[in-house]
Amino acid sequence: MSFKYTSERQTVPTASAGPGHGSEPSNGARSGIVDLSKANLDINLNISSSSSSSHTLPTPNSRGTLPSFPLISKLGKMEMASRIVYPVNENWEFKQADKEGSEYLPVSQFPTNVHLDLLAHKLIPDPYIGKNELDVQWVGEAAWAYRTSVKSPAVGQSSKAVLAFDGLDTFATVVLNGKTILETENMFIPERMDVTADLKKEGEENELVITFDSAYLRGWKLVEKYPDHKWGCWNGDNSRLAVRKAQYHWGWDWGPALLTCGPWRPINLEVYESRIADLWFDIDVDKSLKTATVMAHTSLEGKASNVGFEISLDGSPVASQVVNADSSATFTIQNPELWYPVRYGKQPLYLITAILEEDGKVIDTMSKKTGLRRAELIQRPLKGEPGTSFFFEVNGIPIFCGGSDWIPADNFLPRISRERYYDWVKLVADGNQFMIRVWGGGIYEEQAFYDACDELGILVWQDFMFGCGNYPAWPDLLASIKCEAEENVKLLRHHPCIVIYAGNNEDYQYAESVNLTWEQDNKDAESWLKTDFPARYIYEKILPDVCREYSPSVHYHPGSPWGGVDSHDPTVGDIHQWNVWHGTQEKYQNFDKLVGRFVSEFGMEAFPSVKTIDAYLPLGKDDPDRYPQSSTVDFHNKAEGHERRLALYLVENMRYAPDPLEQFVYCTQLMQAECLASAYRLWKRQWKGPGREYCAGALVWQINDCWPVTSWAICDYYLRPKHAYFTVKREMAPLSVGMTRREHKHPRNKYTRVDIETKIQIEIWGSNLTLEDLTVDCVVKAWDVETGRETYSETINKEPLILPQNQSTEIAAFKVPEPKKEEGIDAHRTVVAAYLVNPENGVQLARYVNWPEPLKYLHLPKPKHLRAELSEEYTTVNVSAEVPVKGVALESEDDGVRFEDNLVDVVPGEVISVKVKGAREGSVVTTRYLGMV
């Protein structure tokens, strides 16, 4: 039999939600009624008395031609009302609660926070401009009240009314009609309160007031309440450790201190007798990839007789089934359409819908999209090196996870739109990156973020929200953390992009730095709570237990970094490599000596776009502080010691000056670009194929900013890429060629300081991240850096080179060509370029230009014929020069002009074509390069 469901469910229309929050529930579920009779599917079901039923689906040649099969349903006779959802997003007002005479004012949007509302009424200056951050600190130490009125809906005798708060930031007291119904202490926990008995009669207005206490002050009171805990942290202050709130709100070494509060996620009033509380799936893709088993589950509230499940793909039905309300449904899909990371396949998303039904009437529905994929973290012994691998394999494909770390995209979260999330993730995907790590000092991100990762094929490393400190563990806090973990894993577990959960960011590293008690051999979890490092109980007991119960197919990792004898062990697990910039401040040319099995953080600072600097200077281009060392520009760099460290890496590598500002900004971006490209290039060299995955990932700190600032980001707050974005993009291309030069000294005896033979050698390798072996030729050319004279040009392989799929392969190692050494053109003034070309037609497939370093020693000529010409169709810029030019940057005053590549090294005899979007008649493209000023 098949049944046609008719729905009485309603969602009451209201004004649209605030930016970043669409009409969909914030748990990623979509509501809608699915007519199972339209599935026209045919299958035999065997329903047992157990809590789940299972069947195997025949595989169609096309989704539209599946044969029909009967659906089995056990219908009750009880008539029930459908769930009605009333968004509570209108007529909100706010005021300062602890200020006498303060009056309510309308909010700027909903959801919202207090800074956004104060900004809208011009009651505070924009904290992103100048030093205004200092002038708004009082906001975080005040109490704030929000109120609205809600008209009482009709509530049937057997129905209930529930206020659902998706997110309250953070210490909130909720009062309905004068009665306190809820008190919260955790920003990350959604709350639901039965208010059936608290609402007035149908049609009457109900006053809803939410008062938010200062998280900063409450945090310090908790610190004082627990004096025996060994408080300590990096970034912010100790009060943050006591508060379950986004930790970066206390300020970080890239972001301002802005202690927000308010209803930051949607609020709804729901009326129902029964509802679907959650919909989730256990998915198992067979190792052969020929079958996928999908077990669909619901958790229900109230009474209902049946749950119908429907699976569809691109709007076409795949399977459906009706089971008893307390049962699950199991589907076996033959030849499933699998979800792959970007570049390795498509990202099909199956829509799975649950329909709660009684007596032929739909009571509630919930839909979620998911992808079918087999994802594993492979940790196994390696050939010839100690430790174990640490790489992700998706559908049998090992992935070199070049990517980025992610921080919240704004300090004021409610104004991040769904479109902005998509634009950020699209920037990552377009940059040839495979993975984003959601860092543990921010938030469990909005569904829009993970939806974009699902759609664009970006893998997600998901931290839990703990970072850089020694967190306390009193019983009530542990209970709150457990609830937080459960609720957020349930919200995220349907996303195929998520391939790992990690317990924290750098908390083990902090524990080591201050010698907290961490005996790895001690497995008695309860005893950890009695040490001065009680948070170990969170990371190694609470969180893994939650993940095991609610998302068992995703790997749990206790922290980042974590593994081996300590958090710095490069042979096991992941490491954060900060000995460039922080730590021992190594030269970035030595990144090959700083490798780990998976480097989940590393970075280098650079100034943002000059346009971004002009945007935060109070007077823009006319501001007297428009120079690199000004107090305002310094204020927009939160990294301790940034002046010394930026200066160190600049002065080690290139000639530069602070004026003009535009050239100084360019030099910092060139330096960052060279640094990060060096890391990706040298570490990807260690991706050497099966059994030799010596380095399997490099996640740069960081992709984005939360405000306009000088930081480690490779794209600034306004999504403007720095030049490092493009060098990383080139290094992570499907096919790339790498080169390094090394100096080898051979003394004639052990005493001499004079009789020493010095050889400068280049090493060349190819990195093929595609899934097919490639046949190439390798052409090497060399030029005199000072005159542009070509000194060498050879195809260095006698037979075609085979670059095996999905690994890096050594090509050659030989002395830097010096055929004109007697004329003074030695290795120290020789630029060498390597090209991979198609041996059949000579088409260039990859290129890399290697320069003598440090660049500051070179006598770089100013080109007389540097050209950057727009094509007639305005779709490409053709760049050429008569001498070698380091780091040619293409620029345009028009923000609508976007280059798909940038910061290219130009050598004589070559025209580099850079694709461009947004250019038109009248568009002007200018250039900047090293040595220009």
Side-chain angles (χ1 to χ4, degrees):
M1 298 175 65
S2 65
F3 298 92
K4 186 170 183 178
Y5 292 98
T6 57
S7 172
E8 300 296 332
R9 178 180 180 182
Q10 304 171 49
T11 300
V12 178
T14 68
S16 62
H21 302 273
S23 58
E24 297 173 3
S26 67
N27 65 357
R30 294 176 173 85
S31 58
I33 305 306
V34 178
D35 181 355
L36 291 185
S37 68
K38 295 178 181 177
N40 192 31
L41 303 178
D42 188 12
I43 197 159
N44 293 319
L45 302 183
N46 295 311
I47 298 185
S48 67
S49 59
S50 66
S51 62
S52 66
S53 58
S54 175
H55 62 272
T56 301
L57 300 180
T59 304
N61 293 324
S62 64
R63 290 186 219 112
T65 58
L66 274 169
S68 62
F69 62 85
L71 297 172
I72 295 179
S73 180
K74 299 178 181 178
L75 297 180
K77 298 180 180 179
M78 180 179 174
E79 179 89 359
M80 299 179 73
S82 298
R83 183 165 71 105
I84 306 174
V85 179
Y86 302 87
V88 182
N89 60 3
E90 292 186 325
N91 304 316
W92 282 93
E93 301 174 305
F94 81 108
K95 73 170 185 177
Q96 187 173 343
D98 55 358
K99 182 179 180 181
E100 188 174 347
S102 179
E103 296 183 356
Y104 278 102
L105 296 169
V107 301
S108 59
Q109 62 177 68
F110 199 87
T112 189
N113 72 28
V114 66
H115 290 81
L116 292 174
D117 297 327
L118 291 168
L119 275 169
H121 289 279
K122 296 182 168 51
L123 295 175
I124 59 171
D126 187 339
Y128 290 6
I129 304 298
K131 302 177 186 177
N132 291 340
E133 175 197 347
L134 301 174
D135 297 327
V136 303
Q137 290 305 304
W138 65 273
V139 176
E141 296 187 23
W144 300 91
Y146 281 80
R147 77 175 181 186
T148 190
S149 61
V150 182
K151 186 174 288 187
S152 287
V155 182
Q157 191 172 8
S158 57
S159 297
K160 64 169 67 173
V162 171
L163 272 172
F165 304 90
D166 286 353
L168 298 175
D169 175 16
T170 293
F171 291 97
T173 300
V174 183
V175 176
L176 180 64
N177 296 328
K179 176 185 175 182
T180 299
I181 61 168
L182 174 65
E183 293 181 333
T184 72
E185 296 183 341
N186 191 320
M187 174 182 179
F188 304 121
I189 297 178
E191 303 279 1
R192 298 178 62 84
M193 299 305 298
D194 187 337
V195 295
T196 311
D198 303 308
L199 293 176
K200 295 181 179 180
K201 294 180 181 179
E202 180 181 350
E204 294 185 9
E205 295 290 338
N206 300 270
E207 184 183 56
L208 179 63
V209 180
I210 309 175
T211 303
F212 294 90
D213 206 354
S214 165
Y216 177 74
L217 298 179
R218 288 283 291 270
W220 278 117
K221 290 177 182 177
L222 288 166
V223 171
E224 292 175 353
K225 185 178 178 180
Y226 296 94
D228 293 337
H229 180 65
K230 194 171 183 178
W231 299 92
C233 65
W234 299 322
N235 295 295
D237 59 58
N238 289 342
S239 68
R240 71 175 176 83
L241 301 175
V243 181
R244 295 312 299 147
K245 173 179 171 62
Q247 301 288 272
Y248 80 110
H249 286 167
W250 273 259
W252 221 263
D253 53 8
W254 36 256
L258 293 168
L259 271 295
T260 60
C261 71
W264 74 292
R265 280 180 170 167
I267 299 174
N268 292 299
L269 176 62
E270 302 178 15
V271 178
Y272 58 90
E273 290 183 44
S274 299
R275 74 175 184 111
I276 300 173
D278 196 12
L279 167 66
W280 75 100
F281 332 107
D282 291 318
I283 297 172
D284 180 34
V285 176
D286 183 79
K287 198 167 187 178
S288 70
L289 308 182
K290 299 296 185 182
T291 62
T293 302
V294 180
M295 181 176 283
H297 314 271
T298 56
S299 60
L300 307 176
E301 183 181 344
K303 296 180 179 179
S305 58
N306 302 296
V307 179
F309 293 98
E310 181 180 85
I311 302 178
S312 62
L313 183 62
D314 298 332
S316 298
V318 173
S320 61
Q321 183 182 162
V322 176
V323 299
N324 292 335
D326 59 349
S327 300
S328 301
T330 301
F331 304 87
T332 302
I333 301 176
Q334 303 294 337
N335 297 318
E337 296 203 21
L338 298 179
W339 185 95
Y340 284 88
V342 62
R343 291 204 336 228
Y344 288 109
K346 297 180 180 180
Q347 293 78 43
L349 297 173
Y350 287 80
L351 180 67
I352 303 181
T353 300
I355 306 101
L356 189 61
E357 174 275 346
E358 179 70 28
D359 198 20
K361 183 177 180 181
V362 172
I363 301 163
D364 197 11
T365 69
M366 183 177 286
S367 297
K368 293 184 180 181
K369 286 185 176 180
T370 194
L372 308 183
R373 51 85 176 131
R374 180 183 179 88
E376 298 175 88
L377 174 63
I378 308 298
Q379 299 182 84
R380 65 188 180 202
L382 293 159
K383 297 175 182 176
E385 289 199 9
T388 53
S389 64
F390 192 98
F391 69 92
F392 294 91
E393 189 175 271
V394 181
N395 300 331
I397 302 171
I399 308 294
F400 181 85
C401 286
S404 296
D405 295 288
W406 168 270
I407 66 172
D410 205 308
N411 267 80
F412 304 142
L413 295 163
R415 72 176 174 189
I416 310 173
S417 67
R418 186 175 188 87
E419 293 73 24
R420 193 170 182 85
Y421 273 120
Y422 185 89
D423 289 345
W424 269 117
V425 178
K426 183 72 161 56
L427 203 58
V428 170
D430 289 346
N432 284 328
Q433 299 185 36
F434 292 111
M435 177 175 273
I436 292 179
R437 171 174 167 253
V438 179
W439 168 75
I443 63 170
Y444 306 94
E445 274 297 348
E446 297 293 338
Q447 292 294 328
F449 171 85
Y450 302 100
D451 288 345
C453 293
D454 288 345
E455 293 168 19
L456 295 170
I458 299 297
L459 301 175
V460 172
W461 173 312
Q462 177 67 51
D463 281 1
F464 284 91
M465 294 302 116
F466 304 88
C468 297
N470 184 25
Y471 284 84
W474 59 81
D476 287 348
L477 183 60
L478 291 180
S480 179
I481 289 168
K482 183 175 185 290
C483 181
E484 167 193 323
E486 290 173 343
E487 292 300 319
N488 284 282
V489 171
K490 287 192 287 186
L491 288 172
L492 301 181
R493 59 184 168 182
H494 64 285
H495 289 287
C497 61
I498 298 176
V499 293
I500 185 172
Y501 294 107
N504 65 80
N505 172 79
E506 296 183 354
D507 289 357
Y508 287 100
Q509 214 163 6
Y510 177 83
E512 291 168 355
S513 74
V514 295
N515 296 313
L516 299 181
T517 303
W518 177 31
E519 298 173 0
Q520 290 197 42
D521 293 336
N522 177 11
K523 304 302 181 184
D524 178 8
E526 296 301 320
S527 72
W528 305 336
L529 292 171
K530 300 172 185 176
T531 70
D532 57 6
F533 183 35
R536 184 182 178 189
Y537 187 87
I538 300 171
Y539 314 138
E540 296 182 46
K541 175 59 178 172
I542 292 177
L543 299 181
D545 285 353
V546 167
C547 290
R548 194 176 301 113
E549 180 174 357
Y550 293 101
S551 188
S553 64
V554 177
H555 180 84
Y556 176 79
H557 193 55
S560 182
W562 194 86
V565 297
D566 57 30
S567 64
H568 300 279
D569 188 340
T571 68
V572 179
D574 68 314
I575 62 169
H576 291 185
Q577 184 48 270
W578 281 110
N579 282 318
V580 171
W581 183 270
H582 290 301
T584 55
Q585 298 181 358
E586 302 284 337
K587 296 178 184 294
Y588 60 71
Q589 290 85 353
N590 297 334
F591 262 131
D592 54 343
K593 301 175 183 176
L594 306 173
V595 69
R597 297 291 174 243
F598 195 107
V599 185
S600 49
E601 279 191 23
F602 68 101
M604 174 58 67
E605 276 205 353
F607 273 56
S609 165
V610 172
K611 297 175 186 176
T612 297
I613 296 171
D614 289 341
Y616 72 64
L617 289 172
L619 299 179
K621 290 185 177 181
D622 298 323
D623 199 290
D625 264 8
R626 193 180 186 268
Y627 62 94
Q629 297 137 315
S630 73
S631 63
T632 304
V633 172
D634 250 6
F635 188 80
H636 283 253
N637 188 336
K638 300 297 187 179
E640 184 177 351
H642 64 264
E643 303 96 335
R644 297 189 300 276
R645 290 170 187 178
L646 268 174
L648 168 67
Y649 283 100
L650 281 170
V651 80
E652 274 188 346
N653 288 285
M654 62 193 68
R655 286 183 281 174
Y656 73 98
D659 291 318
L661 174 65
E662 289 79 0
Q663 188 69 10
F664 180 80
V665 168
Y666 162 84
C667 286
T668 69
Q669 291 199 14
L670 172 63
M671 184 264 294
Q672 181 195 42
E674 290 285 294
C675 171
L676 301 185
S678 175
Y680 277 94
R681 185 166 56 252
L682 293 170
W683 292 341
K684 185 157 56 76
R685 186 184 187 182
Q686 299 303 310
W687 179 248
K688 290 182 176 290
R692 300 196 301 158
E693 303 91 350
Y694 304 129
C695 180
L699 305 181
V700 65
W701 185 269
Q702 65 224 58
I703 182 65
N704 64 325
D705 279 325
C706 63
W707 75 314
V709 65
T710 296
S711 77
W712 298 273
I714 62 173
C715 299
D716 71 28
Y717 173 71
Y718 297 105
L719 288 90
R720 294 183 177 119
K722 300 179 187 177
H723 291 312
Y725 172 84
F726 298 103
T727 59
V728 169
K729 179 180 180 179
R730 292 198 293 269
E731 294 300 336
M732 285 301 301
L735 176 65
S736 62
V737 58
M739 192 188 325
T740 189
R741 63 175 77 192
R742 301 187 190 280
E743 186 176 84
H744 301 276
K745 292 181 179 290
H746 302 285
R748 298 296 184 185
N749 61 69
K750 65 181 179 179
Y751 302 110
T752 184
R753 294 180 300 164
V754 178
D755 195 5
I756 299 173
E757 181 186 15
T758 299
K759 292 182 179 179
I760 299 178
Q761 193 173 54
I762 55 171
E763 299 168 4
I764 304 172
W765 63 93
S767 294
N768 174 15
L769 296 183
T770 74
L771 298 182
E772 59 182 357
D773 296 348
L774 298 177
T775 301
V776 299
D777 283 338
C778 184
V779 177
V780 176
K781 294 188 176 186
W783 297 265
D784 176 15
V785 72
E786 296 183 15
T787 66
R789 178 182 175 185
E790 184 177 297
T791 59
Y792 182 84
S793 180
E794 295 286 344
T795 300
I796 61 172
N797 55 291
K798 295 181 180 179
E799 300 292 334
L801 290 168
I802 305 297
L803 299 182
Q805 62 172 306
N806 203 8
Q807 66 183 64
S808 294
T809 302
E810 300 298 315
I811 294 176
F814 53 91
K815 283 183 62 177
V816 173
E818 299 175 302
K820 306 297 180 183
K821 188 175 182 179
E822 71 281 358
E823 299 177 27
I825 306 174
D826 62 8
H828 297 292
R829 57 183 273 187
T830 298
V831 177
V832 183
Y835 304 87
L836 300 182
V837 299
N838 186 321
E840 295 182 359
N841 56 23
V843 171
Q844 184 185 122
L845 304 174
R847 75 187 289 270
Y848 176 69
V849 181
N850 178 275
W851 299 70
E853 293 187 278
L855 295 169
K856 65 183 180 181
Y857 290 166
L858 302 183
H859 301 155
L860 297 170
K862 289 183 171 59
K864 297 178 181 178
H865 304 290
L866 175 59
R867 294 186 172 89
E869 300 170 336
L870 263 172
S871 65
E872 292 183 2
E873 303 81 14
Y874 310 111
T875 55
T876 59
V877 178
N878 296 313
V879 186
S880 62
E882 84 285 6
V883 293
V885 187
K886 178 63 186 176
V888 176
L890 304 176
E891 299 178 352
S892 175
E893 286 296 314
D894 183 356
D895 254 351
V897 175
R898 300 182 305 280
F899 304 103
E900 294 192 12
D901 196 5
N902 217 324
L903 200 75
V904 293
D905 292 344
V906 179
V907 291
E910 188 175 2
V911 177
I912 301 171
S913 293
V914 176
K915 293 181 180 179
V916 62
K917 294 180 179 178
R920 58 190 184 278
E921 186 176 0
S923 293
V924 176
V925 176
T926 58
T927 59
R928 190 173 298 279
Y929 55 89
L930 184 64
M932 175 176 170
V933 175

